[in-house]
Amino acid sequence: MNNFMNKLEKFLNKHLMPVADAINSNKVMTAIKDGMMGTLPITLFASIILILTNFPFLDKYAPAADLWLKTKLIPAYPVTMGILAIFIIFAAANSYAKLKKIEPLFGIIVAFASFLIVTPLSTVTDVVVDGQIVKNAVVSGVIPTANLGANGVFTALFVTVISISIYAYLQHKNFVIKMPDSVPDNVAKPFLSVIPLVGSLSFFLLVRNLIELTPFGTLQDAVYTILTKPLLGFGNSIWVFLFLLFLAQILWFFGIHGTNVTLSIWQPIATVAMVANLDAFNAGQPLPYVLTAAFTVYTGQAKLSEIVALVALGKSKQAKAIGKVALIPALFNIHEPFVFGLPVMFNTTLFIPWIFVELIQTGVAYGLMLLTGAIPIIQAPWTTPPILQQLIATNFNPWSALIPIATFAVGFVLWAPFIKLLDKQYLKQEQEEIA
């Protein structure tokens, strides 16, 4: 086993670790990850609104309360989740501007302005003119909100990265208007940004005019057709998810935060899919995607099974001590005391269950989700305890409470023999120390 682990470690150090390090340290990937994470408060707030306005059976047993909630709360949804791309621009631009060593405020301004430049300022809809309904009328002077929501997320990220890159390049090459040293910073800094900002906005004005000559018409439609739609199909595959989970577990075992690496790849796709599901749910339509960012409510608590196994089966002092410390945080999906305290990293006894058991649990959760139709719609707060978290995420679908119980049972059974083996090793060490 040790010989195999040494060979595996050498292989990973040579081929996988450089890739993982490159992804983890890449400025663009970091900005994208920060941009998606920065929208978490907005998505949680919008999810709470959606739960309250679609509370199960409330329309039957308390229709007045249901109507009041819908009337008073639903206006918050289109200005939160409905314009998610804008919030992503703010968060990603703030992060990327710092990484490119430019003033974050002007990074946000240039990214947002560039996005608006490539956004159409008209829409086609039905309007009422002199009491008559005019079909498919062109209304000017408006921004279609469809371009600001899920469909515009990848465009927002693309524009943010390119606009700030142009801005930073021009500023660092000293294509700036410098004021005398006697001029206060609050006056000098805006002048420093003039030429870089003009360069970025001019580039995207050119892009807008060129895209209008194509069948796509707008950059948002081009990005959605060429990039977003294929990526959503790619991200909706359970095999892709399992592969990324496998990579994350491998990286964790060798001391790298695997979730950070794989999350930067999967999260933008999964978040767009979740927003599309939320829009469909809010409109009373079938959910277009199964695997979204919300699916993690079935996977985030998987490690609870091995921690409970450690508490229930461990007889050594070390196992009991770690189990007691790790159990309470694990109930709130905090697993670091177990991962770092046991430790799991470089622990050859736990290599097989650490890599494969969570994959099996995820496969079980996915299968049961399809069987029962308990598809998570929203991301409940990640520290919400199991069962309650799944109920909230599925708008209180009762089947969702059985899925974490099933995955917990599978995990406990599969982890038990390895926990016992590790505990025997600890007991032997303790006896040798006494002797």
Side-chain angles (χ1 to χ4, degrees):
M1 182 68 175
N2 287 334
N3 187 40
F4 168 75
M5 292 302 299
N6 289 333
K7 289 182 178 179
L8 179 61
E9 185 176 355
K10 288 180 181 178
F11 175 82
L12 293 175
N13 282 329
K14 183 178 180 181
H15 299 286
L16 184 59
M17 298 307 178
V19 176
D21 288 338
I23 293 174
N24 213 22
S25 60
N26 184 271
K27 292 179 181 179
V28 173
M29 298 304 293
T30 300
I32 290 174
K33 182 175 63 180
D34 290 347
M36 305 312 292
M37 290 300 295
T39 63
L40 185 61
I42 290 293
T43 56
L44 286 177
F45 175 75
S47 298
I48 292 170
I49 294 296
L50 209 57
I51 290 172
L52 293 175
T53 54
N54 291 275
F55 205 82
F57 308 115
L58 193 63
D59 57 335
K60 294 182 180 179
Y61 298 105
D66 180 65
L67 180 61
W68 186 88
L69 286 171
K70 283 183 167 58
T71 303
K72 300 300 182 181
L73 301 184
I74 204 62
Y77 185 83
V79 297
T80 51
M81 200 68 79
I83 56 172
L84 185 66
I86 292 177
F87 298 113
I88 288 174
I89 289 173
F90 294 161
N94 180 65
S95 174
Y96 197 51
K98 291 176 181 177
L99 293 170
K100 299 293 282 187
K101 302 186 185 310
I102 64 172
E103 186 71 29
L105 173 61
F106 294 110
I108 294 171
I109 289 173
V110 72
F112 185 45
S114 297
F115 180 76
L116 291 180
I117 281 179
V118 297
T119 300
L121 299 178
S122 64
T123 187
V124 178
T125 186
D126 297 342
V127 297
V128 178
V129 179
D130 297 330
Q132 300 293 322
I133 297 177
V134 179
K135 295 284 187 179
N136 299 323
V138 177
V139 180
S140 301
V142 298
I143 299 176
T145 54
N147 291 315
L148 308 180
N151 290 352
V153 166
F154 283 101
T155 306
L157 292 171
F158 170 78
V159 169
T160 296
V161 170
I162 298 299
S163 63
I164 290 178
S165 294
I166 295 172
Y167 183 104
Y169 175 82
L170 293 174
Q171 180 170 299
H172 295 324
K173 291 295 183 179
N174 286 320
F175 289 100
V176 295
I177 301 173
K178 291 185 177 180
M179 303 297 288
D181 293 338
S182 59
V183 176
D185 279 351
N186 64 327
V187 177
K189 284 183 178 179
F191 275 96
L192 280 174
S193 72
V194 169
I195 294 176
L197 188 140
V198 168
S200 292
L201 298 190
S202 299
F203 173 80
F204 281 100
L205 186 60
L206 176 63
V207 169
R208 177 188 177 114
N209 283 281
L210 290 176
I211 287 288
E212 287 179 348
L213 300 176
T214 71
F216 297 113
T218 67
L219 183 61
Q220 282 86 348
D221 286 346
V223 172
Y224 182 79
T225 304
I226 297 170
L227 185 64
T228 306
K229 200 171 181 180
L231 282 177
L232 287 174
F234 175 79
N236 202 41
S237 167
I238 185 59
W239 302 111
V240 171
F241 185 86
L242 291 175
F243 176 71
L244 292 175
L245 179 59
F246 172 77
L247 287 182
Q249 295 297 94
I250 287 281
L251 293 171
W252 267 112
F253 187 83
F254 288 99
I256 295 177
H257 199 303
T259 308
N260 273 353
V261 175
T262 57
L263 201 62
S264 60
I265 299 170
W266 185 72
Q267 190 180 33
I269 304 169
T271 301
V272 172
M274 185 183 73
V275 175
N277 273 10
L278 285 168
D279 290 342
F281 177 76
N282 195 41
Q285 299 171 352
L287 304 182
Y289 302 103
V290 175
L291 278 179
T292 72
F295 178 69
T296 54
V297 300
Y298 288 138
T299 63
Q301 41 72 43
K303 293 178 179 64
L304 180 62
S305 54
E306 57 256 41
I307 296 172
V308 172
L310 185 68
V311 172
L313 304 175
K315 297 179 181 179
S316 64
K317 292 180 181 179
Q318 185 172 347
K320 288 180 179 179
I322 295 169
K324 288 179 181 178
V325 171
L327 181 59
I328 299 301
L331 294 175
F332 299 92
N333 297 322
I334 300 170
H335 308 113
E336 280 76 6
F338 172 79
V339 175
F340 296 109
L342 197 58
V344 171
M345 293 175 294
F346 294 98
N347 192 328
T348 55
T349 305
L350 301 181
F351 176 77
I352 291 176
W354 177 257
I355 300 300
F356 295 106
V357 171
E358 194 162 334
L359 295 177
I360 296 170
Q361 288 175 288
T362 300
V364 170
Y366 180 78
L368 291 175
M369 181 184 69
L370 293 181
L371 184 65
T372 61
I375 299 174
I377 306 164
I378 64 173
Q379 273 185 307
W382 67 273
T383 53
T384 308
I387 298 180
L388 177 60
Q389 185 184 46
Q390 289 77 32
L391 286 170
I392 292 173
T394 58
N395 199 35
F396 296 93
N397 185 318
W399 288 107
S400 66
L402 299 178
I403 295 176
I405 295 173
T407 56
F408 171 84
V410 169
F412 185 92
V413 170
L414 294 177
W415 266 93
F418 296 95
I419 292 294
K420 288 181 179 179
L421 180 60
L422 183 68
D423 190 52
K424 286 181 181 179
Q425 294 173 3
Y426 287 160
L427 283 171
K428 185 178 179 181
Q429 292 172 4
E430 292 170 3
Q431 290 169 357
E432 290 174 351
E433 289 174 2
I434 294 174

